Amino acid sequence: MANEEDDPVVQEIDVYLAKSLAEKLYLFQYPVRPASMTYDDIPHLSAKIKPKQQKVELEMAIDTLNPNYCRSKGEQIALNVDGACADETNTYSSKLMDKQTFCSSQTTSNTSRYAAALYRQGELHLTPLHGILQLRPSFSYLDKADAKHREREAANEAGDSSQDEAEEDVKQITVRFSRPESEQARQRRVQSYEFLQKKHAEEPWVHLHYYGLRDSRSEHERQYLLCQGFSGVENTELVKSPSEYLMMLMPPSQEEEKDKPVAPSNVLSMAQLRTLPLADQIKILMKNVKVMPFANLMSLLGPSVDSVAVLRGIQKVAMLVQGNWVVKSDILYPKDSSSPHSGVPAEVLCRGRDFVMWKFTQSRWVVRKEVAAVTKLCTEDVKDFLEHMAVVRINKGWEFILPYDGEFIKKHPDVVQRQNMLWIGIQAKLEKVYNLVKEAMPKKPDGQSGPVGLVSGDQRVQVAKRQAQQNHALLERELQQRKEQLQASAVLPGVRIKEEPMSEEGEDEEEPMDTSPGGGLHGGLANGLPAVRAAGGDSFNGHPPSGSAGTLVARELRAFVQATFQKQFVLTLSELKRLFNLHLASLPPGHMLFSGISDRMLQDTVLAAGCKQILVPFPPQTAASPDEQKVFALWESGDISDQKETDRQAENTRGAGPSVMESHLEQISVLLARVGGIWVSYS
C-alpha cells in the first residue's frame, strides 16, 4: 500500500485503435543519413512500389548549384552512363548527374508488434504498421556504365574483325529437348535463388505520386491516423480480459515454432524423442546409430518400455547381424534418393548394402575390393556401406564394429529363426542379381546361426585340410590297429565299395569317350589317326582290336592309370578324363591311345589297376554331374605299393602303409569338399 501511495496515478489516457491506414502505412528509415538531415525539403522526382515484396524506389533531386557539388565528376558520370548521344532513355537527360535513387529493404517480416501513435487532445490513437523499410542509395547507374563500356568494346572488336559487312555469320544451332521434370527437381528449382529472383522481377511496379510534408493532401491523409468512430465498434479489439491482454503483449513466436524440427535429426534430444510414438523412436535411433545391440536400445528407450513391443518394432527397421541390429538399407536410402558420389539410384545402393550386411552374417571380416568387384559400385559408395557397420584394420580388412551378441541369440531363438529365414530370402535374391554360386558353409560357432554361405575354392580346400588334421590322431590309431588286416580288396569300415564287372570283349553298346583335344588340334587326322588308316577296315568302336594291338593299347592305358593314381590317390571320373585328354594332347599324332577309349574301358582299367569306386551319398539337390559323382581311390597297400611310395619320397622305413592311407583320407576329404560338399565319416 505504501508503494501505491508513493506512486499515484497522475493521468488516465484513452487509447483508440485506428484502422483506416492499417494496410497502407509504412515506416521509412534512412540508416545512412543523420536524423537532423531529413529529406523533407528535397524534391522527390518519382516513386514506385511492389506491394507483394514491399519494395520501394524513390528518386530525389541533387542540388547541382551547391558549392560542395563537383560538376566535372557529375558530367563524367553522366557521360559514362548515357554516352555522348542524347536519347529519351537516358538516365541523366541534363548531361549531368542531377538525381539519385533510393532502394528499400525490409527490416523485419513481422510488424504485428509495431504501430504509429498520434496523441491529440488527451487521446492516444494507434495505427498498426504494414511494413518497416530502410532506404539506402542505389548504385545501379554504375552497372549501366559498365554495360555501356562493354558494348562499346564489343562494337570496336566487331568492326576490326569483320571482313564483309554484307556477309552474314553462320552460327551453329544446337537443339535440345528437355526431359519431363520430376516433382523433386521442381521443388529444388522453386527453392533456388535464381527462381526467386526471376519471380521477384516479374511483379510489376506500381507508380505513385509523392506529396510533401506540408502539402494539403498529406494533411488530409494524416487525419486517417485518428480513430474515425467513437461508438466503440471499432475499438472492440482493445476490450480484452487480463489473460487475453497478456497474450497480446507476449504472443508465442511463430517463427521459432516453425524452425523447430518435427523429429531429432543430427543431434538427438531425448526429451523430444520420447514424445514420439515407439515405432518412430526406434526408427530415428537406428537411422542415426546404424548398428546397436538390443540391450543398448532398451536402455535408450527407458525402463518403462515393453521389450516385446520393441522387438516387434525393431524388426521393421533393422536386420539381425551377429546378434546385433543393423538398420535396413531402405531406411537409409529412400525410394527416390540417389548416391551423392556416383548418382546410382537407391535400389542399387540398397542391394549393394544388403550384400555387405549378408557377408557379415557369414564372417567378421570383409574385404572392400571383393565387395566392389561383386556389386560393381564405386569405392566411395562401398566405403560408406562399410563405415556404417565396420571398422578398418590394417592389412586385414573391415571387421564388424560390435562383438558377437550370443546372449541375445540364446534368449530369443524365435526372433533369430525368423531373421534367418529373411536372410535366406535375401541370399536367393543376391545369387540371382550377382550370379553367385551356392556352396556349403563350415559349421558356425556355438549359438551362431545364419544361412548357408558362399565360399571360394581355396577356402573349401583349407577347411577340408583342417578337418583332416583334426581327425589325424583318431585315424592314425585306427590304421595302426587294422594295418595287418588290410588286404588288396580290404576297405575301411563305413565305406561301401561298388564293384563293377569287367567289360566283355564283345560289348559294343558303349559309346566311345571323346578324347579329341579339340577341333583342329591334329589337323588332317580322323579320331587321332591318319586319314588313310581311319578309312581302313579296322573298326575299333570304342574298344581296342583283338590280338597284339589290343594288348598294347590296354597296357599303355593301364600304365597311364597307375602313374596317375600313384600321384593323386583319389580322383573323380571327370577329373581322370580331363587328365587323360591332357595326356593325349602331349602324345604324337598316330599314337595307339588315339583309337577311341570309352568310359567303360577307362573305368575297367581303373578297377583292374587296384582302385575301388566309393559310393558317396550325394544329396538330391547336388549340382555335381554324373562323372563327378563317380569317385575312385587307390586302396591297395603293401610292400609293392608302399616301396614305390617310399622310394619316391626317399624314406628309409619299410612298409609306409599308414602314411599312404593318411594321404588317401586327406585327399578324399579335400576332393569331396570340392565336388559336392559331402563329408565321409570313417568309424
Side-chain angles (χ1 to χ4, degrees):
M1 298 295 295
N3 293 336
E4 293 182 359
E5 293 177 356
D6 295 340
D7 189 15
V9 176
V10 177
Q11 184 180 3
E12 292 186 358
I13 301 174
D14 294 332
V15 179
Y16 296 92
L17 181 64
K19 291 186 176 182
S20 300
L21 300 177
E23 300 297 328
K24 302 177 183 179
L25 187 61
Y26 291 88
L27 174 64
F28 286 0
Q29 298 176 342
Y30 298 90
V32 297
R33 185 91 165 181
S36 58
M37 299 175 62
T38 64
Y39 289 102
D40 295 340
D41 298 330
I42 295 178
H44 288 61
L45 303 179
S46 66
K48 53 186 179 180
I49 185 175
K50 288 186 176 182
K52 294 182 180 179
Q53 303 176 39
Q54 295 189 5
K55 186 176 181 180
V56 176
E57 282 192 7
L58 299 178
E59 282 190 359
M60 299 185 188
I62 297 177
D63 185 8
T64 58
L65 301 178
N66 192 292
N68 297 324
Y69 180 79
C70 181
R71 192 175 186 84
S72 60
K73 287 291 184 181
E75 293 176 350
Q76 183 64 42
I77 292 174
L79 180 63
N80 294 338
V81 173
D82 298 329
C85 300
D87 194 355
E88 295 181 356
T89 60
N90 286 353
T91 304
Y92 305 110
S93 57
S94 62
K95 302 294 183 182
L96 190 67
M97 183 180 176
D98 54 358
K99 60 182 178 180
Q100 63 177 339
T101 303
F102 289 83
C103 287
S104 67
S105 61
Q106 280 186 312
T107 58
T108 179
S109 58
N110 184 14
T111 59
S112 59
R113 301 182 182 182
Y114 299 93
L118 181 63
Y119 182 74
R120 179 174 294 183
Q121 297 178 359
E123 298 174 347
L124 183 64
H125 298 262
L126 301 178
T127 302
L129 290 176
H130 187 62
I132 301 176
L133 306 179
Q134 292 184 347
L135 284 85
R136 294 179 175 84
S138 173
F139 300 96
S140 58
Y141 61 89
L142 297 178
D143 299 334
K144 190 175 181 180
D146 292 340
K148 285 282 186 181
H149 179 68
R150 286 193 294 269
E151 289 178 3
R152 287 193 294 268
E153 288 184 349
N156 294 335
E157 292 178 1
D160 296 339
S161 60
S162 61
Q163 299 294 334
D164 189 1
E165 296 181 359
E167 182 180 357
E168 295 183 358
D169 294 337
V170 179
K171 295 183 179 179
Q172 182 179 1
I173 299 176
T174 303
V175 180
R176 295 182 179 178
F177 298 93
S178 60
R179 299 179 180 177
E181 188 178 29
S182 62
E183 182 64 22
Q184 186 177 8
R186 191 191 69 80
Q187 292 179 359
R188 288 197 300 266
R189 180 177 60 82
V190 169
Q191 296 175 358
S192 64
Y193 176 78
E194 182 180 0
F195 179 82
L196 294 177
Q197 289 294 104
K198 183 179 179 181
K199 190 174 182 180
H200 290 168
E202 290 176 354
E203 184 181 358
W205 287 102
V206 178
H207 293 273
L208 308 173
H209 295 283
Y210 177 80
Y211 297 95
L213 180 63
R214 286 175 287 275
D215 192 275
S216 60
R217 181 63 183 267
S218 297
E219 183 63 29
H220 175 73
E221 291 292 331
R222 278 196 292 271
Q223 296 300 320
Y224 289 107
L225 295 175
L226 301 175
C227 184
Q228 302 300 316
F230 295 95
S231 60
V233 177
E234 190 173 358
N235 293 304
T236 55
E237 294 186 7
L238 296 182
V239 181
K240 302 291 182 182
S241 64
S243 60
E244 293 176 342
Y245 182 66
L246 182 61
M247 184 63 66
M248 291 177 62
L249 290 178
M250 297 295 295
S253 178
Q254 297 180 358
E255 294 180 356
E256 295 179 0
E257 292 179 357
K258 291 181 181 179
D259 293 340
K260 290 181 180 179
V262 177
S265 54
N266 294 333
V267 179
L268 290 176
S269 170
M270 298 307 298
Q272 282 184 321
L273 183 66
R274 288 173 179 170
T275 60
L276 301 175
L278 179 61
D280 294 340
Q281 294 184 43
I282 297 173
K283 182 178 180 180
I284 292 170
L285 285 172
M286 292 305 304
K287 188 175 181 180
N288 284 270
V289 182
K290 307 294 190 304
V291 184
M292 189 186 306
F294 185 75
N296 291 12
L297 179 62
M298 289 299 299
S299 63
L300 289 174
L301 295 175
S304 61
V305 180
D306 184 15
S307 61
V308 177
V310 176
L311 274 175
R312 193 181 301 113
I314 190 65
Q315 296 182 65
K316 297 179 181 179
V317 297
M319 296 292 293
L320 190 65
V321 178
Q322 299 190 20
N324 302 282
W325 291 98
V326 182
V327 64
K328 289 184 177 180
S329 301
D330 55 358
I331 301 296
L332 296 179
Y333 303 105
K335 186 176 181 181
D336 296 330
S337 63
S338 60
S339 169
H341 306 293
S342 59
V344 174
E347 182 181 359
V348 180
L349 292 176
C350 291
R351 195 161 54 229
R353 188 175 180 274
D354 287 344
F355 178 75
V356 174
M357 293 169 61
W358 174 80
K359 290 285 287 183
F360 277 120
T361 63
Q362 311 304 312
S363 173
R364 288 197 58 82
W365 296 91
V366 168
V367 180
R368 179 173 55 83
K369 291 184 179 179
E370 294 180 1
V371 176
V374 173
T375 59
K376 303 297 188 295
L377 293 173
C378 68
T379 306
E380 290 78 7
D381 289 335
V382 176
K383 187 177 180 182
D384 286 348
F385 299 158
L386 293 171
E387 287 178 345
H388 291 167
M389 62 192 82
V391 291
V392 64
R393 306 295 186 192
I394 300 176
N395 298 329
K396 290 185 178 181
W398 291 78
E399 184 184 11
F400 194 69
I401 194 169
L402 294 178
Y404 179 78
D405 193 353
E407 182 180 354
F408 179 85
I409 297 292
K410 296 178 182 179
K411 190 175 181 181
H412 304 281
D414 53 337
V415 177
V416 174
Q417 183 180 4
R418 192 178 303 114
Q419 289 292 311
N420 288 343
M421 295 177 64
L422 293 176
W423 276 121
I424 291 174
I426 293 175
Q427 177 185 349
K429 293 180 181 179
L430 294 175
E431 288 174 359
K432 291 182 179 179
V433 174
Y434 296 130
N435 297 323
L436 301 177
V437 180
K438 187 175 181 180
E439 298 289 351
M441 277 292 294
K443 188 176 180 181
K444 295 193 174 187
D446 296 339
Q448 185 175 358
S449 60
V452 176
L454 305 181
V455 295
S456 63
D458 292 339
Q459 290 176 334
R460 293 196 300 272
V461 172
Q462 293 297 329
V463 171
K465 287 184 176 180
R466 286 197 298 269
Q467 186 70 16
Q469 291 174 0
Q470 292 174 1
N471 298 332
H472 179 270
L474 178 61
L475 294 175
E476 186 175 3
R477 289 194 300 268
E478 292 179 355
L479 290 172
Q480 288 290 350
Q481 294 174 2
R482 295 178 176 86
K483 179 180 177 182
E484 280 116 18
Q485 301 177 4
L486 291 174
Q487 302 296 331
S489 59
V491 297
L492 290 176
V495 180
R496 292 183 297 159
I497 302 299
K498 180 180 179 182
E499 297 287 354
E500 291 192 11
M502 301 291 290
S503 61
E504 297 293 338
E505 204 54 49
E507 290 179 1
D508 55 358
E509 64 271 11
E510 181 78 63
E511 289 294 328
M513 179 180 65
D514 183 13
T515 57
S516 59
L521 180 62
H522 299 289
L525 301 179
N527 197 20
L529 298 176
V532 176
R533 181 176 175 182
D538 296 336
S539 176
F540 300 104
N541 193 22
H543 298 280
S546 61
S548 60
T551 304
L552 292 177
V553 172
R555 187 182 304 166
E556 189 73 20
L557 182 60
R558 180 161 182 165
F560 162 76
V561 171
Q562 290 178 343
T564 302
F565 276 88
Q566 287 294 332
K567 297 179 182 178
Q568 303 184 29
F569 302 108
V570 182
L571 287 173
T572 62
L573 181 59
S574 175
E575 181 69 11
L576 183 61
K577 288 166 65 175
R578 187 185 69 83
L579 296 175
F580 184 64
N581 285 331
L582 293 176
H583 179 64
L584 289 180
S586 64
L587 297 177
H591 195 273
M592 63 181 65
L593 288 180
F594 285 100
S595 58
I597 306 300
S598 65
D599 290 356
R600 175 59 62 85
M601 182 178 179
L602 185 61
Q603 294 180 60
D604 293 345
T605 306
V606 171
L607 296 174
C611 301
K612 300 295 181 181
Q613 182 178 354
I614 304 174
L615 290 179
V616 180
F618 282 86
Q621 66 273 18
T622 181
S625 63
D627 287 347
E628 290 178 342
Q629 296 184 21
K630 292 183 178 181
V631 182
F632 296 92
L634 180 62
W635 292 100
E636 290 190 19
S637 64
D639 294 343
I640 298 176
S641 301
D642 295 342
Q643 188 61 41
K644 292 180 179 179
E645 182 70 10
T646 304
D647 295 339
R648 185 173 64 85
Q649 297 180 358
E651 294 180 354
N652 296 325
T653 60
R654 183 178 180 276
S659 63
V660 173
M661 296 309 296
E662 291 166 9
S663 300
H664 287 189
L665 294 174
E666 182 175 351
Q667 290 202 13
I668 289 173
S669 300
V670 174
L671 181 65
L672 294 182
R674 182 185 306 150
V675 300
I678 307 298
W679 296 100
V680 180
S681 174
Y682 300 94
S683 59

